[in-house]
């Protein structure tokens, strides 16, 4: 095991986005703040069946959105930049096992997701009163969701041959799932058909679980939420590891 | 135990290209070894299999007795490589970049070594420059620095002199010779025979993914005689090369160049023969034997 080596790759990955923190950490927070203002001001009403204001309802969703976007963004863009810069051959030459490489990418991406989540939360605290109903569920939901999308970012980064492809997945797959994922409205207020469709969107359960952690309010069975979050994150992590192991699209 | 032992190595890329077709190669500890071959002969492919980016199709590779497939991390630790393609982490300064590189090899504090290498490679005053701001020659030297930070046991240089100017090239070679004297095994690929001649104890020549010749560099060069090449640039290619030139083993390439081979003492005769070519001649150049010429001869002799 090459702990120092893996740690160095983690630092390299982290250094990469912290160096441009205004783009990578602050920009997403600002767009989240805009969401807060637009939705918070225009939709003043409370959430039916709860004592939450709309803003209190939407903040956990925005935190989750920040986590997902950034956890995905980091490895997918880092790997595709490495491809463009011809750095993959160095990555495959340094004495790190595929597991160590994966660990470094995931750890750095999870950290970035969580950082954006925390910063989003802190800024929201200036506008809304946010509770911390269950720290355990907050940590569980944010960590495993971050892991899930970091792993997805690795998979897409390895698969993609161009930047366009990573952004394509983001804009046409992830973004719609996020926007329809219960960030901005309770799923149970949707017409039946859309409720049924939403049940197939895993993001719905992640948002629900995180919202439960903050507010105690949830729409689905917690066991279902937890199983989806844990299940998907472990499966995608395993898939990303297997993909790296085979050397697919990396080794020639 | 050999520093590098390649046995019956085959590589077929996904595209179907056969890059290596049963390559055998052995390099002794402490050798300064040249691997020569024209473009596309499989030099980089073999190196990439030894270092990691490319998988072998069949055969085996051992580095200091360890099989690269079974002991990936251990063998990687022993190898330093200057790849053919220049590429760098664009986000860092020279010093940060080399510190990261040391870290990948498990070395936490390596500043002293890094400073020493930067000094030897004339990069000291670029220590805090961004890697992307370096000139082509400096980038190549930084790649050499990158390959040395972890004190490898074998250094592999894949056509390292492209883009490095003559003075610095000399400096680089002096450094390599010093390192070699202090025990580092070096494998150099090139397509310049001269480079191998001045630096390397032994030279192997590969062609189409196979070993064509391996010997002491001196003997190899000697066996090829004191041949020179007259390169004639033509206005228009010949459909058929005049019969009178046949004694000079002529061949034409895709750049409208006609190569004529002769012994040094025949220079006047060959120039006279040019009158046959009339006003097709655009330019003339006399060169030592290029590797392609050596090949023609070697493959010819092999028949
Ligand atoms: N990644 C690759 N995919 C497919 N073919 C390749 C790849 N890399 C090299 N080749 C082919 O393999 C052969 C050997 O190439 P290479 O090892 O680069 O030779 P050299 O380094 O001696 O110039 C060439 O025909 C080349 O086109
Ligand atoms: Mg090459």
């Amino acid at each position: 095991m090459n702990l120092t080596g893996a740690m160095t790759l983690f630092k390299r990955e982290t250094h990469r986005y912290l160096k441009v923190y205004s783009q990578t950490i602050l920009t997403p927070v600002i767009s989240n703040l805009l969401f807060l203002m637009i939705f918070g001001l225009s939709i003043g009403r409370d959430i039916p069946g709860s004592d939450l204001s709309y803003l209190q309802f939407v903040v956990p969703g925005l935190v989750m959105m920040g986590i997902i976007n950034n956890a995905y963004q980091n490895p997918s863009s880092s790997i595709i930049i490495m491809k463009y810069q011809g750095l993959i051959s160095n990555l495959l030459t340094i004495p790190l096992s595929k597991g160590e490489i994966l660990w470094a990418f995931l750890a750095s991406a999870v950290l970035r997701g969580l950082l954006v989540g925390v910063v989003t939360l802190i800024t929201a605290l200036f506008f809304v009163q946010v509770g911390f109903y269950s720290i355990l569920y907050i940590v569980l939901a944010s960590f495993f969701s971050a892991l899930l999308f970091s792993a997805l970012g690795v998979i897409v980064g390895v698969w993609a041959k161009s930047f366009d492809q990573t952004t394509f997945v983001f804009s046409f797959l992830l973004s719609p799932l996020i926007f329809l994922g219960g960030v901005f409205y309770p799923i149970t207020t949707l017409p039946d058909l859309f409720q049924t469709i939403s049940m197939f969107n895993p993001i719905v359960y992640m948002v629900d679980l995180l919202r439960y952690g903050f507010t105690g309010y949830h729409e689905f069975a917690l066991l279902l939420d937890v199983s989806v979050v844990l299940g998907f994150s472990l499966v995608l992590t395993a898939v990303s590891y297997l993909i790296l192991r085979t050397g697919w699209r990396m080794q020639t | 135990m050999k520093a590098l032992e390649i046995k019956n190595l085959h590589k077929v890329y996904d595209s179907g290209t056969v890059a290596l077709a049963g390559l055998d190669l052995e390099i002794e500890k402490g050798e300064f070894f040249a691997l020569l071959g024209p473009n596309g002969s499989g030099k980089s492919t073999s190196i990439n299999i030894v270092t990691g980016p490319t998988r072998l199709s069949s055969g085996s590779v051992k580095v200091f007795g360890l099989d690269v497939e079974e002991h990936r991390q251990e063998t990687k630790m022993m190898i330093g490589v200057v790849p053919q393609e220049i590429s760098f982490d664009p986000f860092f300064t020279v010093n940060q970049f080399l510190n990261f590189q040391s870290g990948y090899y498990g070395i936490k504090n390596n500043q002293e070594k890094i400073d020493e290498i930067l000094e030897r490679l004339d990069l000291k005053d670029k220590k805090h420059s961004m890697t992307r701001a370096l000139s082509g020659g400096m980038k190549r030297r930084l790649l050499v620095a990158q390959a040395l930070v972890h004190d490898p046991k074998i250094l592999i240089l894949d056509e390292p002199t492209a883009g490095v100017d003559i003075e610095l090239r000399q400096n680089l070679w002096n450094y390599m010779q010093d390192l070699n004297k202090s025990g580092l095994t070096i494998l150099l690929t090139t397509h310049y025979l001269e480079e191998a001649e001045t630096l390397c104890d032994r030279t192997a020549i590969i062609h189409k993914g196979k070993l064509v010749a391996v010997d002491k560099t001196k003997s190899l060069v000697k066996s090829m005689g004191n041949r020179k090449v007259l390169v004639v640039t033509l206005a228009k290619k010949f459909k058929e090369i005049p019969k009178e030139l046949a004694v000079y083993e002529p061949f034409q390439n895709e750049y409208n160049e006609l190569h004529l081979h002769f012994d040094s003492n025949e220079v006047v005769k060959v120039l006279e023969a040019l009158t046959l070519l009339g006003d097709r001649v655009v330019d003339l150049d006399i060169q030592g034997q290029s590797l392609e010429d050596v090949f023609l001869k070697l493959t010819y002799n092999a028949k």
Side-chain angles (χ1 to χ4, degrees):
Chain A
M1 272 236 291
N2 179 357
L3 283 182
T4 308
M7 198 61 202
T8 306
L9 185 59
F10 165 75
K11 278 189 205 150
R12 184 253 176 211
E13 282 300 297
T14 308
H15 190 109
R16 202 182 64 84
Y17 63 77
L18 286 185
K19 226 178 125 177
V20 284
Y21 67 92
S22 61
Q23 285 169 45
T24 48
I25 310 292
L26 297 185
T27 310
V29 171
I30 288 169
S31 61
N32 278 348
L33 275 180
L34 286 175
F35 279 127
L36 265 188
M37 287 165 77
I38 296 164
F39 289 104
L41 294 176
S42 54
I43 313 175
R45 67 194 163 78
D46 290 349
I47 299 301
S50 79
D51 51 6
L52 297 177
S53 73
Y54 182 73
L55 274 184
Q56 285 170 325
F57 173 86
V58 88
V59 164
L62 290 176
V63 170
M64 183 53 86
M65 189 160 91
I67 291 175
I68 293 177
N69 284 347
N70 287 279
Y72 170 79
Q73 223 42 269
N74 204 59
S76 63
S77 60
S78 181
I79 294 174
I80 201 80
I81 290 174
M82 283 187 164
K83 286 186 181 175
Y84 275 88
Q85 302 274 352
L87 297 175
I88 297 292
S89 65
N90 193 48
L91 186 68
L92 297 172
T93 300
I94 56 180
L96 290 177
S97 66
K98 299 293 167 55
E100 287 162 345
I101 291 176
L102 181 65
W103 173 83
F105 275 117
L106 293 182
S108 166
V110 166
L111 181 65
R112 173 164 159 189
L114 295 182
L115 269 178
V116 173
V118 168
V119 180
T120 306
L121 178 66
I122 292 173
T123 30
L125 286 176
F126 287 100
F127 304 91
V128 206
Q129 212 189 342
V130 182
F132 292 89
Y133 184 81
S134 161
I135 300 284
L136 173 71
Y137 279 98
I138 295 176
V139 171
L140 188 87
S142 20
F143 176 81
F144 283 98
S145 307
L147 180 64
L148 193 167
F149 286 94
S150 303
L152 184 69
V154 169
I155 295 168
V156 174
V158 170
W159 161 78
K161 290 184 171 162
S162 69
F163 248 117
D164 292 347
Q165 290 180 326
T166 60
T167 1
F168 179 87
V169 172
F170 184 73
S171 314
F172 292 93
L173 200 74
L174 271 188
S175 291
L177 284 181
I178 295 172
F179 279 96
L180 303 174
V183 172
F184 298 106
Y185 51 80
I187 300 294
T188 39
T189 58
L190 293 176
D192 281 354
L193 175 66
F194 290 97
Q195 277 196 41
T196 314
I197 295 176
S198 300
M199 305 294 266
F200 292 97
N201 179 356
I203 293 176
V204 162
Y205 305 97
M206 301 174 200
V207 172
D208 196 49
L209 192 63
L210 188 62
R211 185 171 287 131
Y212 171 74
F214 280 115
T215 64
Y217 169 86
H218 60 106
E219 297 181 277
F220 302 95
L222 289 182
L223 186 64
L224 179 61
D225 287 349
V226 172
S227 320
V228 170
V229 177
L230 283 182
F232 271 85
S233 57
L234 296 182
V235 166
L236 284 187
T237 305
V239 170
S240 63
Y241 176 67
L242 290 177
I243 281 181
L244 282 183
R245 275 282 307 249
T246 62
W248 183 61
R249 294 213 166 161
M250 305 270 274
Q251 268 173 312
T252 51
Chain B
M1 186 173 54
K2 314 273 178 205
L4 182 66
E5 192 176 352
I6 294 178
K7 273 202 189 134
N8 198 19
L9 189 60
H10 289 258
K11 174 64 190 181
V12 184
Y13 283 106
D14 292 343
S15 60
T17 309
V18 178
L20 297 175
L23 179 69
D24 293 297
L25 199 64
E26 286 186 354
I27 299 177
E28 303 291 336
K29 266 193 234 174
E31 264 194 306
F32 203 140
F33 192 95
L35 181 62
L36 272 74
N39 276 331
S41 56
K43 302 183 296 294
S44 299
T45 300
S46 8
I47 288 176
N48 289 334
I49 289 173
V50 175
T51 58
T54 302
R55 288 163 172 259
L56 53 80
S57 303
S58 68
S60 76
V61 176
K62 283 184 183 165
V63 179
F64 289 94
L66 294 180
D67 187 282
V68 293
E69 291 199 296
E70 284 163 35
H71 302 272
R72 235 327 152 203
Q73 271 174 288
E74 292 97 316
T75 56
K76 281 175 166 187
M77 284 282 187
M78 297 191 279
I79 304 171
V81 62
V82 181
Q84 183 172 3
E85 305 297 334
I86 294 186
S87 60
F88 283 115
D89 230 328
F91 304 106
F92 305 112
T93 66
V94 166
N95 193 47
Q96 284 172 325
F97 169 72
L98 294 175
N99 272 297
F100 275 116
Q101 186 71 19
S102 309
Y104 296 146
Y105 286 83
I107 308 166
K108 276 184 183 141
N109 190 347
N110 205 23
Q111 197 58 53
E112 214 171 297
K113 177 99 196 167
I114 290 172
D115 288 341
E116 176 199 317
I117 295 172
L118 287 178
E119 170 95 52
R120 274 305 301 256
L121 288 166
D122 276 321
L123 285 170
K124 215 170 106 189
D125 52 335
K126 297 289 167 192
K127 187 172 169 183
H128 300 293
S129 307
M130 296 301 287
T131 55
R132 57 171 178 267
L134 301 181
S135 72
M138 289 179 197
K139 283 186 176 148
R140 183 69 69 179
R141 278 177 283 145
L142 181 56
L143 277 183
V144 176
Q146 176 193 21
L148 290 172
V149 287
H150 61 288
D151 235 336
K153 290 173 78 175
I154 178 169
L155 176 66
I156 302 177
L157 302 142
D158 196 357
E159 298 190 25
T161 37
V164 179
D165 60 52
I166 294 174
E167 192 187 333
L168 293 168
R169 198 180 288 190
Q170 194 52 52
N171 180 348
L172 184 63
W173 292 144
N174 289 341
Y175 188 22
M176 293 304 114
Q177 282 174 316
D178 287 351
L179 288 171
N180 179 243
K181 276 190 200 111
S182 63
L184 181 67
T185 307
I186 301 180
L187 167 61
L188 164 75
T189 83
T190 174
H191 48 242
Y192 302 111
L193 196 56
E194 295 83 351
E195 235 164 50
E197 242 180 300
T198 46
L199 292 165
C200 302
D201 317 321
R202 284 200 309 148
T203 294
I205 296 182
I206 67 168
H207 186 44
K208 298 195 173 151
K210 269 189 161 162
L211 190 70
V212 187
V214 57
D215 206 340
K216 291 233 161 60
T217 313
K218 280 201 196 89
S219 333
L220 206 62
V221 171
K222 211 161 149 198
S223 73
M224 292 178 298
N226 189 17
R227 301 286 279 173
K228 296 251 182 261
V229 188
L230 178 66
V231 179
V232 188
T233 310
L234 300 170
K236 202 167 145 251
K237 244 177 136 162
F238 280 108
K239 280 218 184 72
E240 238 172 273
I241 301 171
K243 278 199 294 292
E244 292 82 347
L245 295 177
V247 287
Y248 301 115
E249 303 160 25
F251 94 95
Q252 296 188 99
N253 63 20
E254 65 268 36
Y255 311 110
N256 279 6
E257 288 174 350
L258 174 67
H259 288 215
L260 301 174
H261 305 78
F262 59 99
D263 283 335
S264 313
N265 52 13
E266 300 178 314
V267 63
V268 180
K269 241 171 81 189
V270 73
L271 284 171
E272 277 170 6
L274 288 183
T275 49
L276 285 169
L277 307 180
D279 50 10
R280 276 188 201 238
V281 178
V282 178
D283 201 1
L284 287 177
D285 191 15
I286 294 185
Q287 298 173 349
Q289 298 206 90
S290 72
L291 200 60
E292 282 74 10
D293 301 314
V294 173
F295 272 123
L296 282 178
K297 197 171 163 78
L298 278 169
T299 40
Y300 181 81
N301 288 348
K303 271 182 215 160

